[in-house]
Structures are given as structure tokens and as C-alpha cells.
């Protein structure tokens, strides 16, 4: 099938609904599903947890070993001062320091290994999520795209998946190391002095009170920050994409005013969110310093009483300094996990969207070979039948009431009527972008629902008013009609569509690159390229929807000549508001409010003096 739809319409902000900072609606359900998603990587995750555990354990042992060196040094100095010892044992201290160096090297090695493995796992999950979303996009019905902005879809593919990936890469190992560090430090502190440990533990409830207050206060501002960030991004994308329209209608002041409002709200929410996030560390440091002072006082008392060594005090003080760090990390991770759950929930909601009805198990395929037809592989001539079709985009609001028509193979059928009569809807039903509510659409007597969508759409070629081209060479854009076509076949189709006439004047010829907006060639030239694409596809049935309505008279003649060649020997459906372009149609179907009110050729309908005659003459009446 030849798609001639234009690129996504401008004005749909890229981040219009990006809110990865919001809380998940169902945190537990999303978490369970995400854990199931991680199931295929459980061996790697277990290895990561093991190495993270080892890395943290070796890191925790370090202060205790260093404390032994401090004790040795202090005992040597005291012995020299009192004359009761043999001096400082530098050899023993050197051995302890070498052990300490080895411990830190091993800890760093384990940390490097777990980081490398976890990065690989998170990237694989990111790849898998984006692949699943991409495949899901191709299985969604057209009605989803009709009711969803581009920014919403792009937000799920980019921002939400990135949030999940980054959080997975950082938070999972940080949870393991923080919990291990917290438990390990507590054990090491207890082995040194249980009395001093009780003193140090008094800071935990104070820390948690501050953490709960700050997290609750910051969460709502993070939600607002992400929401207004999305709105600002959406407004900028919209204004940038439609800057010509904005300038043409002198919309600069309104655009700036709108941006200032959105940016002001973003500033306010972002300032508050970052303030609370920034306050957490100073507050926790203050609380930790209070505990540090209390431990120092207790340590001085116990050292004076001779119940603890100087090295153990030094090690204990180091542990106290480290003790609040994992608590703070756990608090930060809690906030990050809320964001991750919200992002994952949006991704899973997208993956759970209702898909198109699956193709039948024994779908009819189109015979493209010289072999005789079979029951499930048939040749198509191009006849089309509409049998009492009833349809509405909303089942409660029917717009096609009782549409019936019998179109012979090779005939030219024009569909005319006022705006909203249902002309384009008929085409969407024919292509099975939507399924009928009642009745049936048949091709050569076969219900189109009995075909696979791929085979059905290979029968049709479309040339629309709003041309769809993509950035790439002219040859690549024409080849979109048949990816297996050779360069010679592409050029032959281009000649038939009169593309060759202007391509020879362009720099690079067929290898000229079209820019992202494809506005480095004219509208008429873009239209001819889409016709060449349809010729290359060689469909049995053509759909021409307002293909010449936006070009000048001279270009219209060129396009009309190209379309005449394209329509030779094919069933053609022509939708046109300019009724002078469809005089030579074999049959004209006149629609009004979803019903065929008249049908026949131009002369017959004009002689009848009915709805068509009034519609035709209205285009010549003065405004």
C-alpha cells in the first residue's frame, strides 16, 4: 500500500503530558509487574547483588582495620613516652596498611564488576521496552492515534523509558549497598562498643522524622515541576513547528505571554522542589553532627575509663560519620522509586492498550504468482462492494447509516458530497483502518475481514491531498511503494508520473536529500512523487483523495495527466471537492449525511436536477 499521509501534524507538543515525576496509581501492582519483567535477567541481578554485597562488606571492614593501625601507633607513642615499650611498630603498621590497601582494591573491583553487569542489564531492559512499544505501535488501531497527541506517545517512548532505565541502573545497586552498609556498620559498631552504639542510634528517629517531612513536602512540587516542564516543552515544540503560522497571524506576543505563564509556574514549582531536595543533605548533616558530638563525648569518657582503645574510637567515629549516609540514600531512593513506578506504570498502560482485532487464523492471501488460485490464496481483479454498511467512530453516533454500492473492476468511481458527508470515512472503511458496525465491505466478493491486513492493503494504493514524505532521497521516497524495486523500476515509475521532468533540474537528481519538513521541493513536486510511489506499488485499487486541491492550474494538469496514467486498468476511487475534476468518472456517488442520495454519471446527474446539480453549480456561484 502506498501511504501518502503527511508527517505528524504540528501543534502537538512533544512533551505535552510528560509527568514521570508523579506517583504511580497502583505502586504494588506496577512493582510486581516490573519485577516479573526483570525475571529473565534474574541470574545477572543475583550476581550484581552478590558483588555489590561483597564490595560493601570490604568497604565496611576498612575503618576497623585502619583503627588497628591507629591503636598500634598510639600504643607505640605512649610506650615511648612512659618508657614501658619498645617504640612504634612501623612494620606492623605497614602490614596493616597493605591489608587496608588490598581490601579497598578488592572492594573497588567488585563495585566495578557489579556496575558493569547492571549497566548491561538496564540497557537490555531499555532496549526491550522500546522494542515492545515500537511493536505495540504497529498493532494499535487507527482510532488510538486519532485521539492521542504525538507528544504523549513520544513521552512514553523516550522520557518514561529513560526514567525506568536510569533508576534501574542506579537505584537497584544503591538499595543493596545502602542496606548492606547500614546493617554492616551497625554490626561493626556493636563489636566496638554497644554503649556508644546506643548513643549513635538516637539519631535515627530524628533523621527519619526529617526525611518523612522533607519527602512529603517535596513530592508534590516534583510532580508540578515535571508537569509544567512538559507544558513548556510542548509549547516550544508547537511554536517552533508552526512558526510560519504564528508569524503570519502576528501571534508573537500571545506566544511569549503563554510561555511566560508556563515558565513562571515551572520556575515556582522547580524552585520549591529543588529547595527541599537541597535542604535534605544539610539537615541530615546537621543531625549527623549532633550524633557525632555525642559519640565523641561518650568515646572520651570510655577511653578515659580504659574500656576502649583509641583506634576503636577513631574507627567508631568513622562509622558514625558513615552511618547517616545510607539512611539519606534510602530516603532519596524512595522518592526515585515513586517516579520510576509512575514511569513504568505509564509504559505498561501503553503496552496494555486494546489492539486491533487479530487477523483470522486462516486468512485469505492475495495471489501474486502465476500459480492457480486456491481457497485461501486468490487473485484480485479490483471489484468492490459495500453491503448495507453502518458505521460510527462512536457507536452511539452513527455517521454512515445504510451505504450500499457495487463497483465493477476497472471503473472510475467519484465520491462527492458536502463536508462531513462521510467521503473520507468510506475510504477508511475500505482500507480497514476501522471495522464496520454492521454490514460488510467486500473485494471481489470476499469480506475484507477475511484477509490479513497486510494482504488487503497491498491491493490498495493511496494518493492524498496531504502528501507524506520523509527525510531521505527522492529515490528512497518513491521506493517506499515497493522496497524490492530496482533503481530502473523506480525511475520508470517516476517517468510515468512526470517526476523525471523536474528531478533532472535538481542538485543530485534522484539522490537529492529531502529535508525533515520536505519543503525544499514544491507542493506539486511532492504530489507527483507520491503518485510515482503509487505507480511503483502497482495496486489493483486506487484511492485519490483531494490529490490536486492545493496546487496551481498548470501543476494540476501535470498531476491529472499522471493520475490518468495511474488509473488505467485499475479500479479508482476519487474524492474531490472541485467537481470539474471528476466529470469523466464512470459512476459518481453523491453522499449526504452518510447516505447515497444519488448515483450515476455526470450528465445523468446534471439532467436530473437534484442534489448533485445544486452541488455542482454552487462552485460557480459568487460568494
Amino acid at each position: 500500500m502506498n501511504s501518502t499521509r503527511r508527517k505528524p501534524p504540528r501543534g502537538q507538543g512533544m512533551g505535552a503530558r510528560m509527568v514521570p515525576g508523579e506517583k504511580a496509581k497502583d505502586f504494588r501492582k506496577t512493582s510486581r509487574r516490573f519485577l516479573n519483567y526483570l525475571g529473565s535477567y534474574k541470574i545477572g541481578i543475583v550476581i550484581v547483588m552478590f558483588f555489590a554485597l561483597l564490595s560493601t562488606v570490604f568497604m565496611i571492614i576498612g575503618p576497623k582495620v585502619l583503627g588497628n593501625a591507629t591503636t598500634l601507633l598510639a600504643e607505640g607513642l605512649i610506650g615511648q613516652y612512659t618508657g614501658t615499650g619498645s617504640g612504634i611498630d612501623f612494620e606492623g603498621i605497614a602490614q596493616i596498611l597493605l591489608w587496608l590497601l588490598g581490601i579497598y582494591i578488592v572492594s573497588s573491583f567488585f563495585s566495578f564488576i557489579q556496575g558493569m553487569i547492571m549497566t548491561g542489564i538496564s540497557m537490555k531492559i531499555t532496549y526491550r521496552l522500546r522494542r515492545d512499544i515500537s511493536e505495540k505501535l504497529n498493532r494499535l488501531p487507527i482510532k488510538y492515534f486519532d485521539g492521542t497527541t504525538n507528544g504523549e506517545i513520544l513521552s512514553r517512548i523516550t522520557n518514561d523509558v529513560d526514567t525506568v532505565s536510569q533508576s534501574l541502573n542506579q537505584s537497584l545497586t544503591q538499595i543493596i549497598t545502602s542496606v548492606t552498609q547500614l546493617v554492616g556498620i551497625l554490626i561493626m559498631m556493636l563489636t566496638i562498643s554497644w554503649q556508644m552504639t546506643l548513643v549513635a542510634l538516637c539519631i535515627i528517629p530524628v533523621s527519619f522524622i526529617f526525611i518523612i517531612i522533607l519527602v512529603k513536602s517535596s513530592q508534590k512540587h516534583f510532580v508540578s515541576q515535571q508537569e509544567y516542564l512538559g507544558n513548556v516543552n510542548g509549547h516550544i515544540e508547537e511554536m517552533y513547528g508552526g512558526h510560519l503560522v504564528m508569524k503570519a497571524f502576528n501571534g508573537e506576543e500571545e506566544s511569549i505571554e503563554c510561555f511566560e505563564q508556563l515558565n513562571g509556574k515551572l520556575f515556582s514549582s522547580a524552585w520549591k522542589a529543588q529547595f527541599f531536595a537541597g535542604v535534605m543533605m544539610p539537615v541530615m548533616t546537621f543531625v549527623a553532627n549532633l550524633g557525632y558530638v555525642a559519640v565523641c563525648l561518650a568515646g572520651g569518657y570510655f577511653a578515659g575509663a580504659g574500656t576502649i582503645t583509641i583506634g576503636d574510637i577513631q574507627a567508631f567515629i568513622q562509622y558514625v560519620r558513615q552511618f547517616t549516609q545510607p539512611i539519606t540514600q534510602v530516603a532519596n531512593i524512595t522518592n526515585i522509586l515513586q517516579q520510576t513506578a509512575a514511569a513504568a506504570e505509564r509504559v505498561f498502560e501503553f503496552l496494555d492498550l486494546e489492539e486491533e482485532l487479530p487477523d483470522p487464523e486462516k486468512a485469505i492471501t492475495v495471489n501474486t504468482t502465476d500459480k492457480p488460485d486456491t481457497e485461501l490464496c486468490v487473485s484480485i481483479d479490483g471489484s468492490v462492494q459495500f453491503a448495507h454498511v453502518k458505521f460510527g467512530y462512536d457507536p452511539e453516533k452513527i455517521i454512515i447509516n445504510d451505504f450500499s454500492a457495487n463497483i465493477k473492476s476497472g471503473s472510475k468511481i467519484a465520491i462527492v458530497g458536502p463536508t462531513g458527508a462521510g467521503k473520507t470515512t468510506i475510504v477508511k472503511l475500505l482500507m480497514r483502518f476501522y471495522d464496520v458496525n454492521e454490514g460488510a465491505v467486500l473485494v471481489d466478493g470476499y469480506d475484507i475481514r477475511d484477509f490479513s491486513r497486510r494482504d488487503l492493503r497491498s491491493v490498495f494504493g493511496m494518493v492524498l491531498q496531504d502528501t507524506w514524505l520523509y527525510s531521505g532521497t527522492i529515490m528512497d521516497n518513491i521506493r517506499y511503494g515497493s522496497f524490492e524495486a530496482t533503481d530502473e523500476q523506480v525511475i520508470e515509475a517516476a517517468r510515468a508520473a512526470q517526476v523525471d521532468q523536474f528531478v533532472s533540474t535538481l542538485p543530485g537528481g534522484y539522490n537529492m536529500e529531502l529535508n525533515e519538513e520536505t519543503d525544499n521541493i514544491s507542493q506539486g513536486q511532492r504530489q507527483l512523487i507520491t503518485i510515482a510511489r503509487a505507480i511503483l506499488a502497482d495496486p489493483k485499487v486506487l484511492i485519490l483523495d483531494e490529490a490536486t486541491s492545493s496546487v496551481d492550474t498548470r501543476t494540476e494538469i501535470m498531476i491529472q495527466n499522471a493520475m490518468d496514467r495511474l488509473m488505467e486498468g485499475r479500479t479508482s476511487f476519487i474524492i474531490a471537492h472541485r467537481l470539474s475534476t471528476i466529470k469523466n468518472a464512470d459512476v459518481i456517488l453523491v453522499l449526504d449525511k452518510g447516505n447515497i442520495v444519488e448515483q450515476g454519471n455526470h450528465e445523468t446527474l446534471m439532467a436530473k436536477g437534484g442534489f448533485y446539480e445544486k452541488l455542482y453549480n454552487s462552485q460557480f456561484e459568487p460568494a
Side-chain angles (χ1 to χ4, degrees):
M1 185 200 88
N2 171 53
S3 174
T4 51
R5 292 181 64 200
R6 191 77 177 128
K7 289 183 177 181
R10 298 171 179 151
Q12 296 175 345
M14 187 166 181
R17 299 188 188 177
M18 296 185 299
V19 284
E22 64 182 342
K23 288 187 178 182
K25 298 171 186 173
D26 192 336
F27 183 83
R28 290 185 179 181
K29 181 180 178 181
T30 303
S31 299
R32 285 196 299 269
R33 183 166 179 182
F34 189 61
L35 290 174
N36 291 334
Y37 212 81
L38 294 174
S40 55
Y41 307 100
K42 56 187 177 184
I43 295 176
I45 291 174
V46 169
I47 294 173
V48 166
M49 294 173 66
F50 177 71
F51 278 110
L53 191 67
L54 288 178
S55 173
T56 307
V57 167
F58 277 96
M59 187 63 70
I60 292 170
I61 294 173
K64 178 68 175 177
V65 175
L66 183 60
N68 293 334
T70 303
T71 300
L72 246 136
L73 178 62
E75 288 174 349
L77 288 171
I78 293 171
Q80 279 185 337
Y81 180 75
T82 58
T84 57
S86 56
I88 300 173
D89 185 2
F90 288 104
E91 184 177 347
I93 291 173
Q95 287 180 351
I96 291 173
L97 293 178
L98 285 174
W99 270 106
L100 184 64
L101 177 63
I103 286 170
Y104 283 142
I105 289 174
V106 171
S107 175
S108 299
F109 173 76
F110 286 143
S111 178
F112 172 78
I113 294 297
Q114 66 90 9
M116 184 175 65
I117 296 173
M118 196 65 229
T119 300
I121 291 174
S122 64
M123 290 301 102
K124 287 177 182 177
I125 289 174
T126 303
Y127 170 83
R128 182 179 166 189
L129 282 172
R130 287 209 170 101
R131 182 199 63 194
D132 291 349
I133 290 174
S134 177
E135 292 176 353
K136 181 73 175 185
L137 280 171
N138 292 323
R139 297 194 300 268
L140 290 176
I142 297 296
K143 66 180 179 181
Y144 172 77
F145 300 98
D146 287 344
T148 309
T149 64
N150 298 333
E152 173 71 10
I153 298 171
L154 290 174
S155 176
R156 295 176 191 258
I157 297 175
T158 55
N159 296 352
D160 292 329
V161 174
D162 281 343
T163 299
V164 172
S165 173
Q166 292 171 9
S167 175
L168 182 65
N169 192 25
Q170 299 170 8
S171 301
L172 185 62
T173 54
Q174 201 170 46
I175 289 173
I176 299 166
T177 55
S178 296
V179 172
T180 306
Q181 195 174 358
L182 195 63
V183 174
I185 289 173
L186 182 61
I187 292 172
M188 296 303 292
M189 289 166 64
L190 286 170
T191 60
I192 294 172
S193 170
W194 66 268
Q195 297 95 334
M196 290 174 63
T197 302
L198 289 178
V199 173
L201 289 177
C202 291
I203 68 172
I204 291 180
V206 179
S207 299
F208 272 111
I209 290 172
F210 279 108
I211 287 171
I212 291 170
I213 293 173
L214 290 172
V215 168
K216 283 188 175 181
S217 300
S218 66
Q219 184 65 23
K220 60 182 180 182
H221 298 301
F222 274 111
V223 172
S224 299
Q225 176 189 352
Q226 290 301 117
E227 182 176 355
Y228 288 122
L229 177 62
N231 292 335
V232 167
N233 287 341
H235 177 75
I236 292 173
E237 193 271 342
E238 187 175 49
M239 289 301 101
Y240 177 76
H243 66 280
L244 291 177
V245 175
M246 184 263 291
K247 287 184 175 294
F249 288 92
N250 298 318
E252 293 92 340
E253 291 185 7
E254 287 79 1
S255 175
I256 293 172
E257 183 181 346
C258 180
F259 175 80
E260 290 294 342
Q261 290 178 356
L262 294 173
N263 200 32
K265 292 177 181 178
L266 174 61
F267 169 79
S268 177
S269 58
W271 186 89
K272 293 173 184 176
Q274 298 306 318
F275 171 78
F276 282 109
V279 161
M280 182 173 289
M281 189 56 70
V283 169
M284 295 304 295
T285 302
F286 174 74
V287 174
N289 286 335
L290 291 179
Y292 177 69
V293 171
V295 167
C296 287
L297 292 174
Y301 171 78
F302 289 123
T307 58
I308 192 171
T309 65
I310 294 176
D312 282 343
I313 293 176
Q314 178 261 327
F316 197 94
I317 290 173
Q318 274 191 278
Y319 285 130
V320 171
R321 298 290 285 180
Q322 296 176 6
F323 191 60
T324 54
Q325 182 182 356
I327 298 175
T328 307
Q329 287 176 342
V330 169
N332 287 331
I333 291 169
T334 302
N335 194 27
I336 292 171
L337 288 178
Q338 289 284 358
Q339 298 179 17
T340 306
E345 187 174 61
R346 281 164 53 81
V347 172
F348 291 140
E349 281 177 355
F350 181 81
L351 294 176
D352 289 338
L353 288 172
E354 183 180 355
E355 299 181 2
E356 286 184 323
L357 292 174
D359 292 328
E361 290 184 11
K362 295 183 178 181
I364 299 173
T365 59
V366 178
N367 190 357
T368 56
T369 66
D370 295 329
K371 296 180 180 178
D373 290 353
T374 64
E375 184 180 354
L376 294 177
C377 185
V378 298
S379 299
I380 298 297
D381 292 326
S383 66
V384 177
Q385 298 82 38
F386 293 91
H388 301 287
V389 169
K390 185 178 180 181
F391 172 75
Y393 294 102
D394 181 348
E396 301 298 322
K397 297 178 181 179
I398 300 300
I399 58 175
I400 303 292
N401 298 296
D402 186 9
F403 185 89
S404 296
N406 188 11
I407 291 98
K408 295 180 181 179
S409 174
S411 57
K412 294 180 184 178
I413 307 300
I415 304 177
V416 301
T419 300
K423 301 185 295 297
T424 302
T425 301
I426 294 297
V427 171
K428 291 181 178 179
L429 295 177
L430 190 60
M431 297 291 298
R432 209 187 166 198
F433 292 151
Y434 291 86
D435 281 325
V436 298
N437 297 106
E438 294 181 16
V441 181
L442 303 100
V443 175
D444 283 13
Y446 300 99
D447 193 319
I448 61 173
R449 289 169 291 194
D450 293 335
F451 290 87
S452 68
R453 288 181 176 83
R454 183 181 182 85
D455 273 85
L456 172 68
R457 290 166 188 168
S458 69
V459 174
F460 297 93
M462 294 181 70
V463 180
L464 307 182
Q465 171 190 358
D466 203 9
T467 56
W468 187 88
L469 301 176
Y470 58 90
S471 55
T473 65
I474 291 176
M475 181 165 286
D476 288 340
N477 272 277
I478 297 174
R479 187 177 276 119
Y480 203 83
S482 176
F483 294 110
E484 297 80 18
T486 63
D487 290 352
E488 291 74 17
Q489 290 172 322
V490 170
I491 294 172
E492 184 180 349
R495 285 174 181 161
Q498 303 189 41
V499 171
D500 196 61
Q501 295 181 21
F502 71 83
V503 166
S504 59
T505 66
L506 299 175
Y510 286 99
N511 292 319
M512 174 184 167
E513 289 278 341
L514 301 181
N515 60 25
E516 186 176 357
E517 296 299 325
T518 66
D519 56 7
N520 51 342
I521 59 175
S522 72
Q523 171 67 26
Q525 289 170 339
R526 292 198 293 269
Q527 194 65 269
L528 290 172
I529 289 174
T530 61
I531 293 173
R533 181 191 290 169
I535 291 174
L536 186 65
D538 192 23
K540 294 291 184 182
V541 182
L542 268 176
I543 298 171
L544 308 173
D545 189 354
E546 300 288 348
T548 62
S549 63
S550 58
V551 296
D552 60 88
T553 305
R554 183 176 178 277
T555 306
E556 179 182 355
I557 294 171
M558 291 179 61
I559 294 175
Q560 194 63 53
N561 291 335
M563 289 196 301
D564 287 341
R565 295 185 185 182
L566 179 59
M567 289 187 288
E568 289 178 2
R570 294 183 173 92
T571 307
S572 303
F573 289 87
I574 308 164
I575 298 175
H577 281 298
R578 288 192 278 189
L579 304 186
S580 57
T581 61
I582 46 90
K583 284 183 179 180
N584 60 347
D586 297 321
V587 177
I588 299 174
L589 301 178
V590 186
L591 296 185
D592 186 33
K593 298 178 182 178
N595 294 311
I596 298 178
V597 293
E598 293 177 347
Q599 60 179 304
N601 59 30
H602 175 73
E603 290 76 14
T604 303
L605 293 174
M606 288 297 291
K608 185 184 277 188
F611 189 82
Y612 176 81
E613 189 263 345
K614 293 179 182 178
L615 198 64
Y616 183 83
N617 288 330
S618 66
Q619 64 188 326
F620 304 113
E621 294 175 359

